[in-house]
Amino acid sequence: MLDSDLTGVINLASGTPRSLRSVIEHLADRLDARHLVRFGAIAATGVDAEPIIAADIGRLRTVTAGVQSIGFDEGAARSVAWWIDRLAAKA
């Protein structure tokens, strides 16, 4: 994308809808922190109350056609590892 002429907003996502709850549960499991998550503790309103939010990745696909992508599990694992490394470095 950096080498393209594309400007403006580009959603970076898989294009596969997932519930926010499933993402939170997945990350909590990877961090062995499911016990820290309480669903329903605060009433959700507006867009936060939507059961599933999906990004439109049409523009992303036009620029990255043919580029290998990674799945949710691998992307989540990389993100968790990146944050753990950064937080450990600050400790």
Side-chain angles (χ1 to χ4, degrees):
M1 284 192 323
L2 296 176
D3 292 332
S4 76
D5 294 330
L6 194 60
T7 61
V9 176
I10 302 168
N11 291 321
L12 298 177
S14 69
T16 303
R18 285 188 161 270
S19 69
L20 181 56
R21 182 184 188 117
S22 73
V23 173
I24 291 169
E25 288 172 339
H26 181 84
L27 294 174
D29 289 344
R30 289 193 80 62
L31 295 167
D32 195 24
R34 180 71 79 102
H35 64 284
L36 299 175
V37 177
R38 284 189 343 180
F39 294 105
I42 300 172
T45 60
V47 71
D48 294 332
E50 295 295 326
I52 294 177
I53 299 173
D56 177 359
I57 62 165
R59 293 187 76 206
L60 177 64
R61 283 193 174 140
T62 63
V63 175
T64 60
V67 175
Q68 183 179 355
S69 63
I70 61 171
F72 173 78
D73 291 338
E74 179 64 22
R78 289 181 187 187
S79 295
V80 167
W82 185 89
W83 276 106
I84 288 172
D85 288 348
R86 295 316 172 275
L87 294 174
K90 289 184 177 185

